[in-house]
């Protein structure tokens, strides 16, 4: 280990105090069905620390007005706070410029923006779009709508039995008709961390831009969009300790400038006459109408909170949770983990022989344990594993080892009831 690594490690261990972190989250004090809440549905939505709740309250009680329009004091404050939040997000993902950060209503909205703004302008008849078997529906359906409208074709990267993308097959899909690649950074259904840097480099060697669905990565690991060299990167605030109704689309300036607007309306124009409308510059060209100002400022507070803990420390803690939980679960007879990729984030999808996933979720809930059951908005990957559904425990940095133990005890209880 170099001195820097040693120093960093020491810093990580000293800063990461799990019980102090847990104390920041009021919801973790709840009882559900008479048991302490064990919240393991973080891949669907994460919880908010008091710092973010307080920030929202301060904005609403002392700073709220519409932005960009008036000269009065409150409007100026709100505008400054909103733009300050954009800068916080810029630094969080290491974007080169703040205008590369567009506020959307979430990952789904961000991907639809790229489909309308880029896809409808630059993808045509006979062109090909590469997606993967792992994708969330929100990175499939918009591209299917585009393909149907334009007469384009979708090509799909397969996955192996561990839930990893088959990169040889990905590379074989490229030809002169390939115009776009959409791939998720981390799988919400299986936890697989995809080798996106390598995939992006390969696509760029063929002159093809790449959109990364980062909904499950941004909350769990450091993200550096310049290092990845991705063209677009999308994620949601509500999975990142922020509010619902807010998300981010990062896009490279050169691409955003060539794109057409997605939604028309106020704020996205410079001038309007019935003869001709001139669009505003980026990012405003893509932010029509009054944005979710409070949510954007809340998300800014959320990334401040996460950055103070450190995304490296968060990643390290979640890795130990994943290792511990995987080991414990592997020891349970009749329980099978779905998704055993070498590089995995803290998502554990599993099935129990003889028990329907829905019943697992219901019985765990009786123990106060929140997991998700179903297809996780990723039906193609469920079909790949010939499963209608799985149960999924997904961890956040505020989960602890005792909660893993509670999950394992909960699964044993489920097995006793059914077997
Ligand atoms: C949650 C999720 C989405 C959709 O996010 P919304 O906030 O619902 O728009 C897209 N992709 C992945 C991988 C997700 O986990």
């Amino acid at each position: 280990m170099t001195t820097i690594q040693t120093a960093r490690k020491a810093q990580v261990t000293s800063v990461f105090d799990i019980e102090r972190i847990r104390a920041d989250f009021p919801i973790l004090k709840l009882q559900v069905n008479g048991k302490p809440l064990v919240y393991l549905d973080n891949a669907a939505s994460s919880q908010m620390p008091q710092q973010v709740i307080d920030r929202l309250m301060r904005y609403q009680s002392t700073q709220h007005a519409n932005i960009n329009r008036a000269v009065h004091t409150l409007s100026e404050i709100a505008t400054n706070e909103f733009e300050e939040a954009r800068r916080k997000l810029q630094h969080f993902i290491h974007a080169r410029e703040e205008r590369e950060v567009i506020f959307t209503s979430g990952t789904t909205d961000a991907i639809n923006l790229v489909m309308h703004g880029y896809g409808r302008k630059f993808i045509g008849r006979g062109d090909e779009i590469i997606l993967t078997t792992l994708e969330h529906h929100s990175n499939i359906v918009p591209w299917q709508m585009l393909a149907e409208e334009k007469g384009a074709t979708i090509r799909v990267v397969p996955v192996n039995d561990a839930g990893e993308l088959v990169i040889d097959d990905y590379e074989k899909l490229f030809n002169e008709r390939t115009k776009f690649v959409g791939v998720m950074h981390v799988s919400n259904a299986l936890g697989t961390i995809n080798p996106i840097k390598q995939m992006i480099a390969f696509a760029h060697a063929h002159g093809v831009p790449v959109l990364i669905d980062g909904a499950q990565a941004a909350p769990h690991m450091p993200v550096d969009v310049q290092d990845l060299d991705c063209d677009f990167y999308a994620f949601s605030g509500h999975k990142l300790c922020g509010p619902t109704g807010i998300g981010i689309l990062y896009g490279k300036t050169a691409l955003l400038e060539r794109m057409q607007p997605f939604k028309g309306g106020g704020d996205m124009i410079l001038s309007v006459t019935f003869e001709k409308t001139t669009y505003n510059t980026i990012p405003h060209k893509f932010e029509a109408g009054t944005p979710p100002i409070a949510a954007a400022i809340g998300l800014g507070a959320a990334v401040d909170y996460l950055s103070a803990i450190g995304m490296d420390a968060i990643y390290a803690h979640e890795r130990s949770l994943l290792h511990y939980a995987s080991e414990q679960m592997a020891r349970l007879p009749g329980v099978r983990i779905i998704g055993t990729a070498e590089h995995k984030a803290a998502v554990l999808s599993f099935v129990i022989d003889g028990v329907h996933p829905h019943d697992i979720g219901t019985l765990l809930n009786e123990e106060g344990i929140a997991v998700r059951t179903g297809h996780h908005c990723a039906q193609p990957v469920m079909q790949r594993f010939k499963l209608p559904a799985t149960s999924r425990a997904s961890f956040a940095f505020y989960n602890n080892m005792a909660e893993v133990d509670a999950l394992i005890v909960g699964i044993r209880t489920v097995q006793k009831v059914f077997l």
Side-chain angles (χ1 to χ4, degrees):
M1 240 189 233
T2 65
T3 339
I4 292 174
Q5 278 171 328
T6 317
R8 199 173 191 184
K9 189 148 184 264
Q11 192 188 19
V12 162
T13 28
S14 68
V15 169
F16 202 89
D17 176 348
I18 182 69
E19 291 315 313
R20 193 188 50 99
I21 287 169
R22 289 176 66 79
D24 288 335
F25 289 80
I27 211 161
L28 297 181
K29 298 181 183 83
L30 278 189
Q31 302 256 316
V32 171
N33 293 323
K35 308 275 169 58
L37 169 67
V38 175
Y39 187 75
L40 301 178
D41 194 18
N42 296 285
S45 206
S46 59
Q47 301 296 347
M48 257 188 224
Q50 191 64 48
Q51 288 83 340
V52 175
I53 298 167
D54 288 346
R55 185 65 191 91
L56 290 169
M57 191 69 103
R58 181 156 72 88
Y59 171 76
Q60 297 292 10
S61 45
T62 66
Q63 298 181 314
H64 174 67
N66 209 334
I67 59 169
N68 295 336
R69 292 194 188 113
V71 294
H72 64 77
T73 301
L74 274 184
S75 177
E76 196 183 311
I77 291 172
T79 305
N80 289 343
E81 296 296 336
F82 182 75
E83 290 304 327
E84 180 61 24
R86 192 191 307 279
R87 278 188 289 279
K88 288 176 180 181
L89 270 300
Q90 176 204 346
H91 296 308
F92 187 65
I93 58 169
H94 299 96
R96 198 184 310 267
E97 303 179 72
E98 42 186 286
R99 61 185 176 152
E100 293 177 318
V101 174
I102 298 161
F103 284 116
T104 67
S105 71
T107 307
T108 306
D109 190 40
I111 295 172
N112 276 275
L113 191 164
V114 177
M115 185 279 264
H116 283 271
Y118 184 89
R120 293 182 80 197
K121 188 164 176 189
F122 297 112
I123 296 172
R125 175 160 298 281
D127 287 344
E128 296 185 0
I129 299 161
I130 297 178
L131 303 174
T132 86
T133 307
L134 292 174
E135 295 316 300
H136 188 282
H137 295 164
S138 67
N139 201 23
I140 299 175
V141 183
W143 303 110
Q144 284 176 325
M145 293 162 82
L146 180 75
E148 190 171 342
E149 177 187 324
K150 298 287 184 178
T153 307
I154 289 171
R155 311 289 305 271
V156 184
V157 185
V159 297
N160 64 20
D161 291 340
E164 296 161 325
L165 296 176
V166 184
I167 297 303
D168 279 352
D169 288 354
Y170 164 69
E171 298 186 350
K172 283 186 204 130
L173 288 177
F174 280 82
N175 61 50
E176 66 288 351
R177 293 184 304 275
T178 309
K179 287 290 155 63
F180 199 81
V181 174
V183 54
M184 63 190 353
H185 195 164
V186 172
S187 161
N188 62 306
L190 305 181
T192 313
I193 303 175
N194 293 318
I196 56 165
K197 192 171 170 179
Q198 179 192 344
M199 294 172 79
I200 292 164
F202 191 86
H204 285 175
H206 290 76
V208 177
V210 183
L211 169 124
I212 303 298
D213 171 353
Q216 296 296 340
H220 304 289
M221 59 190 69
V223 170
D224 183 331
V225 290
Q226 291 188 72
D227 177 57
L228 291 170
D229 199 27
C230 53
D231 300 279
F232 301 103
Y233 197 97
F235 57 100
S236 297
H238 70 96
K239 296 182 180 178
L240 196 78
C241 298
T244 52
I246 189 78
I248 297 297
L249 175 68
Y250 158 82
K252 285 182 181 168
T253 301
L255 282 169
L256 293 175
E257 282 182 335
R258 287 164 60 213
M259 283 159 60
Q260 60 192 16
F262 171 28
K263 296 168 186 165
D267 282 335
M268 55 77 71
I269 49 83
L270 287 177
S271 72
V272 176
T273 67
F274 278 102
E275 288 68 44
K276 182 163 175 58
T277 287
T278 323
Y279 300 133
N280 206 338
T281 50
I282 61 167
H284 311 291
K285 180 168 87 173
F286 298 109
E287 293 178 354
T290 302
I293 307 165
I297 291 169
L299 181 55
V303 302
D304 276 349
Y305 180 83
L306 294 171
S307 303
I309 296 171
M311 293 311 293
D312 285 314
I314 284 173
Y315 183 67
H317 175 71
E318 291 182 8
R319 267 190 82 77
S320 18
L321 287 171
L322 175 71
H323 282 168
Y324 182 58
S326 306
E327 260 174 29
Q328 298 296 309
M329 208 180 267
R331 289 203 193 129
L332 296 174
V335 179
R336 185 157 55 100
I337 297 172
I338 309 297
T340 48
E342 192 187 334
H343 299 288
K344 253 190 93 164
V347 170
L348 264 188
S349 253
F350 60 96
V351 290
I352 306 181
D353 292 342
V355 192
H356 192 279
H358 186 79
D359 294 330
I360 299 172
T362 307
L363 280 176
L364 288 177
N365 183 54
E366 283 175 19
E367 305 297 318
I369 303 168
V371 299
R372 176 128 313 210
T373 60
H375 55 60
H376 317 299
C377 297
Q379 285 183 351
V381 71
M382 294 291 119
Q383 286 150 12
R384 163 64 179 78
F385 287 91
K386 300 196 166 53
L387 295 165
T390 67
S391 301
R392 179 188 70 188
S394 54
F395 298 90
F397 60 95
Y398 45 70
N399 289 124
N400 62 18
M401 300 295 173
E403 291 178 310
V404 174
D405 292 338
L407 172 68
I408 300 299
V409 171
I411 292 172
R412 286 224 180 89
T413 309
V414 171
Q415 287 181 310
K416 271 182 217 139
V417 171
F418 276 88
L419 306 174

